[in-house]
Amino acid sequence: MAKWDDIYCSLCETILTTGTRVHNRTGIDTIKIPSTHFQLDVGQEFPILTTKQLFIRQAVLEMLWIYQAQSNDVRWLQERNVHIWDEWEIDENGDWKDVKTGKVLRHFDPSMAHTIGTAYGYVVKKYGLIDRLIQSLQETPEDRRRVVSLWQDAEMETAVLPSCVWSSEWDITDGKLNVWVHQRSCDVPLGLPFNVTQYAVLMKMLAQVCHLEVGTLDWSIKDAHIYVNQIEGIQEQLSRWHENGSYEAPTLWLNPKVEDFYQFDNSKELKDIRLEGYRHMGKISMPIAQ
Protein backbone atom coordinates (compact mmCIF):
# COMPACT_ATOMS: atom_id res chain seq x y z
CA MET A 1 0.00 0.00 0.00
CA ALA A 2 1.16 3.55 -0.75
CA LYS A 3 2.21 5.36 2.43
CA TRP A 4 1.53 8.74 0.83
CA ASP A 5 -2.17 7.88 0.42
CA ASP A 6 -2.39 7.01 4.10
CA ILE A 7 -0.71 10.25 5.18
CA TYR A 8 -2.78 12.34 2.79
CA CYS A 9 -6.17 10.78 3.55
CA SER A 10 -5.49 10.93 7.30
CA LEU A 11 -4.76 14.64 6.94
CA CYS A 12 -8.00 15.21 5.02
CA GLU A 13 -9.94 13.34 7.69
CA THR A 14 -8.31 15.39 10.44
CA ILE A 15 -9.24 18.65 8.71
CA LEU A 16 -12.87 17.60 8.24
CA THR A 17 -13.30 16.30 11.79
CA THR A 18 -11.30 18.83 13.83
CA GLY A 19 -10.97 21.87 11.57
CA THR A 20 -12.54 25.29 11.91
CA ARG A 21 -14.73 26.93 9.26
CA VAL A 22 -13.37 30.35 8.24
CA HIS A 23 -13.90 33.07 5.65
CA ASN A 24 -11.12 34.06 3.25
CA ARG A 25 -10.36 36.36 0.31
CA THR A 26 -11.91 34.03 -2.31
CA GLY A 27 -15.42 34.28 -0.87
CA ILE A 28 -15.63 30.49 -0.50
CA ASP A 29 -15.26 29.31 3.10
CA THR A 30 -12.69 26.73 4.08
CA ILE A 31 -12.36 24.14 6.83
CA LYS A 32 -8.82 24.62 8.16
CA ILE A 33 -6.31 23.46 10.71
CA PRO A 34 -3.52 25.88 11.65
CA SER A 35 -0.56 23.65 10.82
CA THR A 36 0.67 20.18 9.96
CA HIS A 37 3.85 18.33 9.08
CA PHE A 38 4.72 14.98 7.50
CA GLN A 39 7.76 13.15 6.16
CA LEU A 40 8.12 10.92 3.10
CA ASP A 41 11.08 8.72 2.18
CA VAL A 42 11.25 9.41 -1.54
CA GLY A 43 14.18 7.03 -1.87
CA GLN A 44 11.87 4.21 -0.80
CA GLU A 45 8.55 5.23 -2.37
CA PHE A 46 7.65 7.73 -5.06
CA PRO A 47 4.74 9.81 -3.69
CA ILE A 48 1.80 10.07 -6.05
CA LEU A 49 -1.76 9.41 -4.92
CA THR A 50 -3.46 6.18 -5.95
CA THR A 51 -6.84 6.84 -4.30
CA LYS A 52 -7.41 9.35 -7.09
CA GLN A 53 -5.71 9.98 -10.39
CA LEU A 54 -2.99 12.62 -10.51
CA PHE A 55 -1.92 13.90 -13.92
CA ILE A 56 1.84 13.83 -13.58
CA ARG A 57 2.52 15.46 -16.95
CA GLN A 58 0.81 18.65 -15.86
CA ALA A 59 2.42 18.55 -12.42
CA VAL A 60 5.95 18.10 -13.74
CA LEU A 61 5.57 20.71 -16.46
CA GLU A 62 4.42 23.29 -13.90
CA MET A 63 7.48 22.48 -11.78
CA LEU A 64 9.79 22.80 -14.80
CA TRP A 65 8.06 26.08 -15.75
CA ILE A 66 9.12 27.45 -12.38
CA TYR A 67 12.55 25.95 -11.83
CA GLN A 68 13.89 25.10 -15.29
CA ALA A 69 12.25 27.54 -17.72
CA GLN A 70 12.12 30.07 -14.84
CA SER A 71 9.11 31.67 -16.45
CA ASN A 72 6.08 33.58 -15.22
CA ASP A 73 4.47 33.54 -18.69
CA VAL A 74 1.28 31.47 -18.62
CA ARG A 75 1.49 30.93 -22.39
CA TRP A 76 4.47 28.60 -21.84
CA LEU A 77 2.12 26.26 -20.01
CA GLN A 78 -0.78 26.76 -22.38
CA GLU A 79 1.40 25.77 -25.33
CA ARG A 80 1.89 22.46 -23.52
CA ASN A 81 -1.83 22.05 -22.80
CA VAL A 82 -1.44 22.88 -19.11
CA HIS A 83 -4.09 25.31 -17.89
CA ILE A 84 -3.72 25.35 -14.11
CA TRP A 85 -2.64 29.01 -14.06
CA ASP A 86 -5.16 30.38 -16.57
CA GLU A 87 -7.30 31.96 -13.86
CA TRP A 88 -4.37 34.07 -12.62
CA GLU A 89 -3.19 35.32 -16.02
CA ILE A 90 -2.95 39.10 -16.46
CA ASP A 91 -4.66 40.21 -19.68
CA GLU A 92 -3.41 42.57 -22.40
CA ASN A 93 -4.70 45.63 -20.52
CA GLY A 94 -2.84 44.66 -17.36
CA ASP A 95 -5.99 43.44 -15.62
CA TRP A 96 -6.38 40.32 -13.51
CA LYS A 97 -10.07 39.50 -13.60
CA ASP A 98 -12.56 37.26 -11.86
CA VAL A 99 -13.17 34.52 -14.42
CA LYS A 100 -16.83 34.23 -13.46
CA THR A 101 -17.88 37.87 -13.28
CA GLY A 102 -15.24 39.67 -15.33
CA LYS A 103 -14.61 42.03 -12.41
CA VAL A 104 -11.09 43.48 -12.31
CA LEU A 105 -9.49 42.13 -9.16
CA ARG A 106 -6.18 43.96 -9.59
CA HIS A 107 -4.52 46.11 -12.23
CA PHE A 108 -0.87 45.69 -13.24
CA ASP A 109 1.39 47.36 -15.73
CA PRO A 110 0.32 46.10 -19.19
CA SER A 111 3.92 44.97 -19.77
CA MET A 112 3.06 42.05 -17.46
CA ALA A 113 0.36 40.78 -19.83
CA HIS A 114 0.06 36.98 -20.00
CA THR A 115 2.09 36.51 -16.83
CA ILE A 116 1.30 35.98 -13.15
CA GLY A 117 3.43 38.99 -12.28
CA THR A 118 6.64 38.82 -10.29
CA ALA A 119 6.10 35.39 -8.75
CA TYR A 120 7.44 31.84 -8.89
CA GLY A 121 9.65 31.45 -11.99
CA TYR A 122 10.28 35.19 -12.13
CA VAL A 123 11.80 35.05 -8.64
CA VAL A 124 13.83 31.92 -9.43
CA LYS A 125 15.40 33.61 -12.44
CA LYS A 126 15.96 37.05 -10.91
CA TYR A 127 17.73 35.69 -7.84
CA GLY A 128 19.50 32.75 -9.53
CA LEU A 129 17.96 30.33 -7.03
CA ILE A 130 18.23 27.00 -8.81
CA ASP A 131 21.70 27.69 -10.21
CA ARG A 132 23.06 28.48 -6.76
CA LEU A 133 21.40 25.38 -5.34
CA ILE A 134 22.89 23.06 -7.97
CA GLN A 135 26.32 24.64 -7.62
CA SER A 136 26.22 24.15 -3.85
CA LEU A 137 25.07 20.52 -4.12
CA GLN A 138 27.88 19.75 -6.56
CA GLU A 139 30.71 21.71 -4.96
CA THR A 140 30.05 22.03 -1.21
CA PRO A 141 28.14 18.98 0.07
CA GLU A 142 28.52 20.12 3.70
CA ASP A 143 26.75 23.45 3.04
CA ARG A 144 24.05 24.36 5.59
CA ARG A 145 22.79 27.48 3.81
CA ARG A 146 20.75 25.99 0.97
CA VAL A 147 17.56 27.99 1.43
CA VAL A 148 15.55 28.51 -1.76
CA SER A 149 13.00 31.24 -1.03
CA LEU A 150 10.28 32.19 -3.49
CA TRP A 151 9.03 34.73 -0.94
CA GLN A 152 10.88 37.94 -1.73
CA ASP A 153 9.37 41.07 -0.19
CA ALA A 154 10.55 43.25 -3.08
CA GLU A 155 8.34 41.26 -5.48
CA MET A 156 5.15 40.98 -3.41
CA GLU A 157 3.31 44.06 -4.68
CA THR A 158 3.57 43.01 -8.32
CA ALA A 159 2.73 39.33 -7.90
CA VAL A 160 -0.77 38.12 -8.75
CA LEU A 161 -0.52 35.31 -6.20
CA PRO A 162 2.46 35.26 -3.82
CA SER A 163 4.00 31.80 -3.64
CA CYS A 164 2.05 29.27 -1.58
CA VAL A 165 4.90 26.76 -1.53
CA TRP A 166 7.33 29.50 -0.62
CA SER A 167 10.61 27.93 0.46
CA SER A 168 12.70 24.79 0.54
CA GLU A 169 15.84 23.82 2.47
CA TRP A 170 18.22 21.23 1.05
CA ASP A 171 20.92 19.10 2.64
CA ILE A 172 23.13 16.11 1.88
CA THR A 173 23.48 13.47 4.58
CA ASP A 174 25.31 10.17 3.99
CA GLY A 175 25.24 10.80 0.25
CA LYS A 176 21.47 11.35 0.21
CA LEU A 177 19.68 14.49 -0.91
CA ASN A 178 16.98 15.64 1.53
CA VAL A 179 14.63 18.61 1.41
CA TRP A 180 12.26 20.38 3.78
CA VAL A 181 9.48 22.29 2.02
CA HIS A 182 7.40 25.05 3.62
CA GLN A 183 3.91 25.98 2.45
CA ARG A 184 2.20 29.10 3.84
CA SER A 185 -1.30 28.15 2.65
CA CYS A 186 -2.48 24.87 1.19
CA ASP A 187 -5.50 23.87 -0.88
CA VAL A 188 -5.26 20.27 0.32
CA PRO A 189 -7.62 18.65 -2.23
CA LEU A 190 -6.07 20.21 -5.33
CA GLY A 191 -2.73 21.82 -4.52
CA LEU A 192 -1.08 19.40 -2.11
CA PRO A 193 -1.11 16.26 -4.30
CA PHE A 194 0.43 18.25 -7.17
CA ASN A 195 2.99 19.99 -4.99
CA VAL A 196 4.30 16.90 -3.20
CA THR A 197 4.71 14.97 -6.44
CA GLN A 198 6.41 17.97 -8.07
CA TYR A 199 9.04 18.33 -5.36
CA ALA A 200 9.64 14.58 -5.31
CA VAL A 201 10.38 14.76 -9.05
CA LEU A 202 12.62 17.79 -8.53
CA MET A 203 14.49 15.90 -5.80
CA LYS A 204 15.09 12.94 -8.11
CA MET A 205 16.20 15.17 -10.99
CA LEU A 206 18.66 17.11 -8.85
CA ALA A 207 19.94 13.95 -7.21
CA GLN A 208 20.61 12.43 -10.63
CA VAL A 209 22.53 15.39 -12.04
CA CYS A 210 24.46 15.87 -8.77
CA HIS A 211 25.27 12.12 -8.43
CA LEU A 212 23.42 11.68 -5.14
CA GLU A 213 20.93 9.21 -3.72
CA VAL A 214 17.40 10.37 -2.91
CA GLY A 215 16.46 10.77 0.74
CA THR A 216 13.58 12.27 2.68
CA LEU A 217 11.03 14.95 1.84
CA ASP A 218 9.68 16.81 4.88
CA TRP A 219 6.64 19.00 4.33
CA SER A 220 5.26 21.67 6.67
CA ILE A 221 2.03 23.57 6.09
CA LYS A 222 0.64 26.66 7.76
CA ASP A 223 -3.15 26.82 7.15
CA ALA A 224 -4.04 23.45 5.66
CA HIS A 225 -7.56 23.78 4.32
CA ILE A 226 -10.38 22.23 2.31
CA TYR A 227 -12.84 24.54 0.55
CA VAL A 228 -16.43 23.78 1.48
CA ASN A 229 -17.32 23.10 -2.17
CA GLN A 230 -14.61 20.40 -2.24
CA ILE A 231 -15.94 18.39 0.69
CA GLU A 232 -18.03 16.04 -1.43
CA GLY A 233 -15.02 15.13 -3.57
CA ILE A 234 -12.81 14.54 -0.54
CA GLN A 235 -15.48 12.38 1.06
CA GLU A 236 -15.52 10.27 -2.11
CA GLN A 237 -11.74 9.86 -1.88
CA LEU A 238 -11.92 8.97 1.81
CA SER A 239 -14.62 6.41 1.04
CA ARG A 240 -12.30 4.76 -1.49
CA TRP A 241 -9.49 4.73 1.04
CA HIS A 242 -11.56 3.21 3.83
CA GLU A 243 -13.06 0.57 1.55
CA ASN A 244 -10.05 -0.35 -0.58
CA GLY A 245 -6.95 1.07 1.05
CA SER A 246 -4.56 2.09 -1.70
CA TYR A 247 -2.48 0.58 -4.49
CA GLU A 248 1.26 0.08 -4.44
CA ALA A 249 3.20 3.20 -5.32
CA PRO A 250 4.54 3.33 -8.88
CA THR A 251 8.15 3.86 -9.94
CA LEU A 252 9.36 7.10 -11.47
CA TRP A 253 11.69 6.67 -14.46
CA LEU A 254 14.06 9.45 -15.44
CA ASN A 255 16.20 9.29 -18.54
CA PRO A 256 19.56 8.19 -17.10
CA LYS A 257 21.45 9.91 -19.93
CA VAL A 258 20.47 13.38 -18.67
CA GLU A 259 23.32 14.89 -16.64
CA ASP A 260 22.25 18.54 -16.70
CA PHE A 261 19.04 19.74 -15.04
CA TYR A 262 18.38 22.09 -17.94
CA GLN A 263 18.50 19.22 -20.41
CA PHE A 264 15.46 17.37 -19.05
CA ASP A 265 12.85 17.57 -21.82
CA ASN A 266 10.13 20.13 -21.08
CA SER A 267 8.14 19.68 -24.26
CA LYS A 268 4.48 18.71 -24.27
CA GLU A 269 5.54 15.06 -24.51
CA LEU A 270 7.85 15.23 -21.44
CA LYS A 271 10.12 12.61 -23.01
CA ASP A 272 12.61 12.13 -20.17
CA ILE A 273 10.16 11.09 -17.47
CA ARG A 274 7.46 8.47 -17.05
CA LEU A 275 5.58 6.58 -14.38
CA GLU A 276 5.87 2.80 -14.39
CA GLY A 277 3.15 0.70 -12.78
CA TYR A 278 0.82 3.56 -11.85
CA ARG A 279 -2.56 2.19 -10.75
CA HIS A 280 -5.17 4.58 -9.44
CA MET A 281 -8.87 4.64 -8.55
CA GLY A 282 -9.89 7.24 -11.10
CA LYS A 283 -10.36 10.97 -11.37
CA ILE A 284 -12.24 13.06 -8.83
CA SER A 285 -13.26 16.51 -10.04
CA MET A 286 -13.15 19.33 -7.50
CA PRO A 287 -13.52 23.09 -8.03
CA ILE A 288 -10.65 25.54 -7.72
CA ALA A 289 -10.99 28.82 -5.83
CA GLN A 290 -9.56 31.84 -7.61
Side-chain angles (χ1 to χ4, degrees):
M1 299 299 181
K3 294 179 181 178
W4 171 221
D5 279 275
D6 290 341
I7 292 171
Y8 176 81
C9 290
S10 294
L11 171 59
C12 290
E13 207 159 53
T14 296
I15 294 171
L16 291 180
T17 57
T18 70
T20 301
R21 181 164 178 157
V22 297
H23 303 303
N24 61 84
R25 64 169 183 83
T26 69
I28 304 170
D29 285 2
T30 63
I31 310 298
K32 64 165 279 188
I33 58 173
S35 63
T36 193
H37 162 261
F38 54 82
Q39 183 183 82
L40 300 164
D41 189 339
V42 180
Q44 295 296 315
E45 176 185 295
F46 180 70
I48 185 168
L49 291 177
T50 69
T51 47
K52 77 169 184 179
Q53 182 179 13
L54 186 134
F55 297 95
I56 191 168
R57 191 188 70 86
Q58 288 89 327
V60 174
L61 282 171
E62 185 200 17
M63 181 274 288
L64 292 176
W65 176 60
I66 296 169
Y67 285 109
Q68 190 198 63
Q70 300 173 20
S71 174
N72 61 347
D73 194 323
V74 180
R75 292 171 297 184
W76 189 96
L77 293 170
Q78 293 167 347
E79 290 166 0
R80 291 158 176 78
N81 196 28
V82 179
H83 296 280
I84 53 182
W85 278 98
D86 287 4
E87 296 185 9
W88 288 269
E89 180 181 357
I90 299 169
D91 71 14
E92 291 86 351
N93 298 316
D95 294 328
W96 173 48
K97 296 180 178 179
D98 186 309
V99 294
K100 295 179 180 178
T101 67
K103 177 184 176 181
V104 176
L105 300 173
R106 282 188 64 187
H107 180 73
F108 297 83
D109 190 292
S111 64
M112 294 186 181
H114 304 297
T115 76
I116 57 169
T118 55
Y120 289 96
Y122 176 95
V123 172
V124 173
K125 183 176 182 178
K126 180 174 181 177
Y127 294 94
L129 299 180
I130 199 73
D131 292 332
R132 291 212 313 270
L133 173 61
I134 292 172
Q135 182 179 10
S136 173
L137 293 172
Q138 292 176 335
E139 297 179 4
T140 54
E142 73 284 356
D143 192 358
R144 297 181 297 188
R145 300 178 178 180
R146 297 191 193 95
V147 178
V148 176
S149 178
L150 302 180
W151 191 273
Q152 300 289 339
D153 287 346
E155 317 304 337
M156 289 298 103
E157 290 303 313
T158 46
V160 177
L161 182 66
S163 301
C164 297
V165 179
W166 69 272
S167 77
S168 55
E169 299 173 47
W170 303 75
D171 84 276
I172 301 171
T173 303
D174 294 330
K176 293 183 178 181
L177 178 63
N178 309 290
V179 63
W180 195 305
V181 177
H182 304 272
Q183 190 163 10
R184 65 170 178 84
S185 173
C186 181
D187 179 339
V188 172
L190 291 179
L192 188 58
F194 252 59
N195 298 147
V196 167
T197 295
Q198 289 170 324
Y199 273 83
V201 174
L202 181 60
M203 283 182 73
K204 292 179 79 70
M205 286 181 168
L206 294 181
Q208 177 167 310
V209 301
C210 295
H211 307 290
L212 299 165
E213 298 297 318
V214 180
T216 55
L217 168 62
D218 280 85
W219 203 278
S220 62
I221 302 171
K222 189 64 181 168
D223 202 310
H225 54 260
I226 296 171
Y227 285 93
V228 293
N229 59 358
Q230 298 170 332
I231 292 175
E232 183 178 349
I234 285 297
Q235 288 175 333
E236 164 63 22
Q237 189 170 357
L238 290 175
S239 177
R240 295 177 180 182
W241 179 56
H242 283 298
E243 292 176 8
N244 305 304
S246 60
Y247 295 129
E248 293 292 330
T251 299
L252 182 78
W253 177 88
L254 296 179
N255 184 348
K257 296 180 180 180
V258 178
E259 298 181 350
D260 181 338
F261 176 66
Y262 292 101
Q263 294 304 310
F264 281 107
D265 177 54
N266 63 24
S267 69
K268 185 177 181 180
E269 292 75 26
L270 208 62
K271 299 173 185 176
D272 291 323
I273 179 173
R274 66 171 178 262
L275 279 177
E276 297 178 340
Y278 184 35
R279 298 178 62 207
H280 56 78
M281 299 180 192
K283 181 180 178 181
I284 298 177
S285 295
M286 283 179 274
I288 191 168
Q290 188 185 21

